[in-house]
Amino acid sequence: TAVGDLFGGDVRIGDAATAAGFLASAGDYRILHLATHAQARSTVGDLSYLAFSQPADSSGEAFVYLRDLYLQRLRAELVVLSACETSAGEYRMGEGMVSLAKGFFHAGVRSVVATLWSVDDAKNADLMLRFFQRIKKGDPKDAALRTAKLNYLNAHPHDEAHPVYWAAAVAVGDMQPVDLNGVGGWWKLIALAIVAAVIVQQVIRRLRPTK
């Protein structure tokens, strides 16, 4: 909920944050933050997936696969994939790495922060909060990530400063600062966080038309 507190959004927990719900509403948001479980597939990249909460009646899919992203039309200015291996996947000649991050670019987003390997949930959450603090201050996205990493290192000396804990996150795409004023003077954020028990938290601020 820390990112939600930072940006002042609503929080949805558990059954409210399903794969179907995400696919239905993701196109309405300008910032997407997914802190969830993910799995990269090195042989069939289209089957790399993000995990969501299982619907209460078990009638729906609990995963969003890379192939599902190809069908989306997203207008997000920034997508943060705070999960394992979201920039890893299958290498294809002529295409490069077929990853979840690339799937979001196919869907139309302008920039992605994703991970190169498996991450520690708690330490990565700390890093991403520091990143969003810099985004809110108006830093360019790459500068925000760099400062977040430096601040993390200052706060986590010794063993916790090992690159395995902070170096997985990379920023790709348009690195201009996020325009938090947004369309018509409003902006919108959706953040999803997931813990080991597959409980998802969703933080939203809605765009509103000008009057």
Side-chain angles (χ1 to χ4, degrees):
T1 61
V3 173
D5 293 339
L6 180 64
F7 288 95
D10 301 326
V11 178
R12 301 177 187 178
I13 299 176
D15 292 343
T18 62
F22 174 75
L23 292 173
S25 62
D28 296 333
Y29 298 93
R30 299 187 60 232
I31 300 175
L32 304 174
H33 176 213
L34 293 96
T36 181
H37 172 65
Q39 178 68 61
R41 299 294 178 86
S42 60
T43 55
V44 186
D46 292 341
L47 295 181
S48 297
Y49 66 81
L50 293 161
F52 290 78
S53 288
Q54 179 69 45
D57 60 4
S58 299
S59 62
E61 179 62 71
F63 304 113
V64 170
Y65 292 93
L66 171 57
R67 62 190 181 191
D68 298 324
L69 297 173
Y70 295 150
L71 304 177
Q72 294 295 295
R73 293 297 177 264
L74 306 179
R75 56 173 177 166
E77 188 172 340
L78 171 64
V79 174
V80 177
L81 301 176
S82 183
C84 296
E85 304 175 342
T86 51
S87 195
E90 175 193 3
Y91 178 78
R92 292 180 185 170
M93 186 69 69
E95 289 189 60
M97 191 63 66
V98 178
S99 65
L100 288 163
K102 188 169 185 177
F104 278 94
F105 279 119
H106 271 287
V109 308
R110 294 176 57 186
S111 61
V112 175
V113 173
T115 56
L116 295 169
W117 55 76
S118 296
V119 295
D120 180 279
D121 288 341
K123 294 180 178 61
N124 200 56
D126 182 4
L127 178 65
M128 290 301 106
L129 177 58
R130 295 174 188 276
F131 169 74
F132 275 109
Q133 288 170 339
R134 300 309 309 179
I135 288 294
K136 189 172 182 181
K137 289 181 179 293
D139 289 4
K141 302 178 191 84
D142 51 351
L145 185 58
R146 178 179 182 275
T147 300
K149 290 178 176 182
L150 292 174
N151 290 342
Y152 171 90
L153 289 171
N154 288 334
H156 296 271
H158 311 303
D159 291 347
E160 293 184 336
H162 193 286
V164 71
Y165 293 123
W166 57 266
V170 293
V172 184
D174 181 359
M175 293 294 105
Q176 294 297 311
V178 176
D179 178 11
L180 295 180
N181 291 321
V183 178
W186 292 84
W187 57 275
K188 194 181 212 180
L189 163 73
I190 178 173
L192 299 168
I194 192 166
V195 296
V198 195
I199 298 173
V200 180
Q201 304 168 343
Q202 184 170 352
V203 182
I204 303 172
R205 175 174 285 190
R206 296 191 177 277
L207 283 169
R208 300 180 184 177
T210 55
K211 296 182 179 179

